[in-house]
């Protein structure tokens, strides 16, 4: 076996500092998450998605007038070109929602007047359009999967409330809008997670923002990232009742299978976002099956005792989204609805101080060999 002279490597880049960023701070041992220096607990309790996006993109919280202007700007960018809506309407009824979203986001680039303009101003406009349009796409994908017509956005509603409106065709109540708004704040950014890192790698080649965001959506699709809360919901259904939890967990761990919604590459204590998602799920629990919360609470205790694992962001969001009436297949797309704000921020940060991202591999294949002509091979 021939090895390259590569420097030390770690499996999955775990623990590797892959660059500098002034966007988010995470301390996995103490369970701290901050956006631009602001603690996630304060943002979850006091901020809104629009304010959080402004903070991420501009580095500072907006004044009241700036927030009003920004909210109006985002709401004005929600329209999606008709051919893209037609593509969604004509897609196979069993198409994967994240697969559809990936293609639709890529297609948006073909209709964007700023598509190939790499100026800061154009990138900010594209970030705004992508953030606003992604919600329209996700709602349209879900409506069409249910055999319904897409609903046009309502500019009078905030980002979270408008999403639920476009999904249902009727305005949500204040508790529902606020619960989703908090989810969007909590999911907005999380350092160099897999999808954000994909966006960075793509933008570091100086490819355009739509290409970078398409990479991010494709990466978020996987069950070890954005697909985890969909699997959490399937797991809760599979368990069925709280009294079955110990036996179910024992059998999973005996088979060395993963329990979805537990464990995290960075957090070694409870994910700081989890408590707000749990509170949101509890606030909405009269809107759905209360067993989801009973099973979840029991799982937290049993998995922690058996394996010392804590819940991650996907655990409680599965129940919360269920109580909002969202289909489990659409859960990863709801994640994208928020994370688009973090992705676009990281893409802009990458462009501002760019260096191609190109690591090396440790070669573990065969050593040098003689080429054998095809007719002489055994
Ligand atoms: N269920 C059961 N065991 C788990 C686990 C889980 N969800 N997460 C981690 N572990 C165990 C591993 O089996 C391993 O145990 P071992 O040392 O006895 O073999 C140990 O914890 C370390 O796991 P590892 O895969 O090295 O950690 P990681 O940092 O690579 O994994 C995740 C991080 C998120 C991929 C992993 O925790 C996971 O698969 N979780 C479930 C999927 C999920 O919820 N994803 C959303 C993340 S926000």
């Amino acid at each position: 076996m021939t090895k390259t002279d590569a420097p030390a490597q770690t499996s999955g880049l775990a623990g590797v500092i892959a660059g500098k960023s002034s966007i988010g701070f995470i301390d996995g041992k103490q369970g701290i998450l901050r956006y631009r220096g602001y603690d996630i607990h304060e943002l979850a309790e006091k901020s809104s998605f629009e304010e959080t996006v402004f903070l991420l993109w501009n580095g500072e919280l907006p004044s009241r007038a700036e927030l009003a202007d920004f909210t109006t700007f985002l709401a004005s960018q929600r329209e999606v070109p008709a051919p893209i809506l037609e593509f969604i309407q004509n897609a196979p009824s069993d198409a994967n929602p994240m697969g559809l979203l990936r293609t639709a986001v890529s297609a948006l680039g073909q209709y964007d007047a700023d598509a190939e303009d790499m100026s800061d101003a154009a990138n900010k406009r594209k970030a705004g359009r992508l953030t606003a349009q992604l919600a329209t796409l996700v709602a349209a994908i879900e409506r069409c999967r249910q055999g319904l017509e897409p609903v046009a956005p309502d500019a009078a509603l905030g980002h979270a409330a408008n999403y639920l409106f476009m999904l249902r065709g009727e305005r949500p109540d204040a508790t529902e809008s606020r619960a989703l708004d908090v989810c969007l704040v909590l999911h907005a950014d999380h350092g160099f997670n897999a999808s954000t890192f994909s966006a960075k790698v793509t933008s570091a080649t100086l490819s355009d923002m739509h290409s970078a965001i398409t990479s991010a959506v494709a990466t978020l699709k996987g069950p070890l990232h954005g697909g985890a809360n969909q699997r959490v919901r399937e797991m809760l259904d599979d368990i069925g009742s709280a009294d079955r939890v110990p036996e179910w967990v024992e059998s999973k761990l005996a088979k060395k299978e993963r329990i979805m919604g537990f464990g995290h590459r960075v957090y070694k204590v409870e994910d700081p976002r989890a408590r707000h998602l749990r509170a949101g799920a509890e606030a909405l629990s009269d809107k759905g099956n209360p067993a989801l919360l009973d099973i979840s609470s029991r799982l937290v205790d049993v998995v922690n005792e058996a394996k010392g694992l804590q819940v991650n962001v996907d655990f409680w969001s599965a129940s919360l989204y269920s109580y909002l009436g969202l289909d489990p297949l659409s859960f990863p797309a709801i994640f994208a609805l928020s994370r688009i704000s973090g992705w676009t921020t990281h893409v802009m940060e990458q462009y501002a101080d760019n260096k191609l991202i190109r690591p090396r591999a440790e070669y573990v294949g065969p050593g040098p060999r003689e080429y054998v002509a095809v007719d002489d091979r055994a």
Side-chain angles (χ1 to χ4, degrees):
M1 232 165 48
T2 306
K3 287 195 172 187
T4 64
D5 58 352
Q9 56 90 23
T10 86
S11 171
L13 295 181
V16 169
I17 303 293
K20 291 184 180 168
S21 175
S22 63
I23 300 166
F25 171 81
I26 306 171
D27 181 331
K29 287 198 185 112
Q30 296 191 65
I32 297 172
L33 171 61
R34 299 187 197 120
Y35 300 161
R36 302 284 193 191
Y38 293 98
D39 193 273
I40 195 64
H41 299 302
E42 263 200 300
L43 293 172
E45 282 157 21
K46 300 174 188 166
S47 187
S48 64
F49 181 65
E50 282 86 341
E51 187 179 62
T52 299
V53 179
F54 186 100
L55 171 67
L56 289 173
W57 288 350
N58 299 290
E60 298 296 335
L61 287 167
S63 67
R64 184 165 287 286
E66 284 171 329
L67 180 58
D69 285 351
F70 186 66
T71 302
T72 306
F73 161 69
L74 270 189
S76 71
Q77 303 293 304
R78 291 174 179 155
E79 293 290 337
V80 163
I84 299 181
L85 282 182
E86 282 159 23
F87 155 72
I88 292 170
Q89 285 176 295
N90 293 327
S93 57
D94 61 351
N96 180 285
M98 284 298 280
L100 280 179
L101 184 64
R102 179 195 58 219
T103 306
V105 164
S106 180
L108 281 178
Q110 307 306 318
Y111 295 90
D112 198 302
D114 290 318
E116 302 299 329
D117 186 341
M118 297 294 279
S119 67
D120 291 351
N123 281 324
K124 245 185 175 165
R125 287 195 296 271
K126 284 186 274 189
R129 262 195 299 281
L130 273 160
T131 300
Q133 290 172 323
L134 206 107
T136 310
L137 292 178
V138 174
I141 289 169
E142 200 43 33
R143 296 274 302 177
C144 294
R145 280 200 329 113
Q146 294 170 19
L148 301 167
E149 289 286 311
V151 171
D154 180 345
L157 296 175
H159 197 77
N162 175 61
Y163 172 73
L164 291 172
F165 170 72
M166 290 190 295
L167 187 70
R168 301 172 178 174
E170 54 188 53
R171 289 184 170 200
D173 67 32
T175 314
E176 293 174 311
S177 302
R178 181 61 192 148
L180 183 60
D181 197 30
V182 173
C183 287
L184 300 184
V185 170
L186 294 171
H187 284 83
D189 185 56
H190 210 235
F192 290 178
N193 59 88
S195 55
T196 300
F197 198 63
S198 283
K200 273 181 77 71
V201 171
T202 304
S203 51
T205 68
L206 295 183
S207 189
D208 63 285
M209 184 166 297
H210 285 85
S211 298
I213 302 306
T214 305
S215 297
V217 174
T219 307
L220 186 69
K221 182 172 179 283
L224 294 187
H225 190 11
N229 54 7
Q230 173 191 340
R231 308 293 165 104
V232 170
R233 175 57 208 272
E234 287 161 10
M235 169 182 80
L236 298 177
D237 289 344
D238 185 36
I239 298 173
S241 65
D243 57 322
R244 288 200 56 225
V245 168
E247 169 207 340
W248 188 92
V249 170
E250 197 184 326
S251 128
K252 273 276 188 199
L253 293 181
K255 287 185 265 175
K256 300 227 171 291
E257 286 177 11
R258 298 271 154 146
I259 301 177
M260 290 291 134
F262 287 85
H264 198 277
R265 175 59 65 79
V266 179
Y267 293 117
K268 300 308 163 202
V269 293
E270 186 179 279
D271 187 320
R273 300 163 294 181
R275 76 168 84 150
H276 302 284
L277 295 163
R278 180 178 195 158
E282 285 169 354
L284 294 171
S285 62
D286 59 346
K287 295 184 186 292
N289 178 5
L292 293 179
L293 283 189
D294 297 341
I295 301 167
S296 299
S297 306
R298 191 94 175 88
L299 266 172
V300 171
D301 296 338
V302 173
V303 174
N304 185 253
E305 204 179 305
K307 196 79 186 164
L309 287 168
Q310 306 279 348
V311 294
N312 58 46
V313 70
D314 292 306
F315 186 73
W316 293 105
S317 58
S319 300
L320 196 162
Y321 294 162
S322 301
Y323 291 139
L324 282 174
L326 308 177
D327 185 289
L329 261 180
S330 74
F331 289 179
I334 307 295
F335 193 144
L337 204 66
S338 165
R339 187 57 59 84
I340 179 73
S341 58
W343 293 333
T344 47
T345 314
H346 281 271
V347 169
M348 290 188 280
E349 186 176 65
Q350 184 67 38
Y351 289 149
D353 185 17
N354 192 56
K355 176 135 178 103
L356 183 77
I357 299 173
R358 204 304 189 186
R360 294 172 63 189
E362 180 187 2
Y363 179 70
V364 294
R369 295 194 272 181
E370 291 272 326
Y371 178 83
V372 180
V374 66
D375 292 331
D376 299 337
R377 286 174 212 157

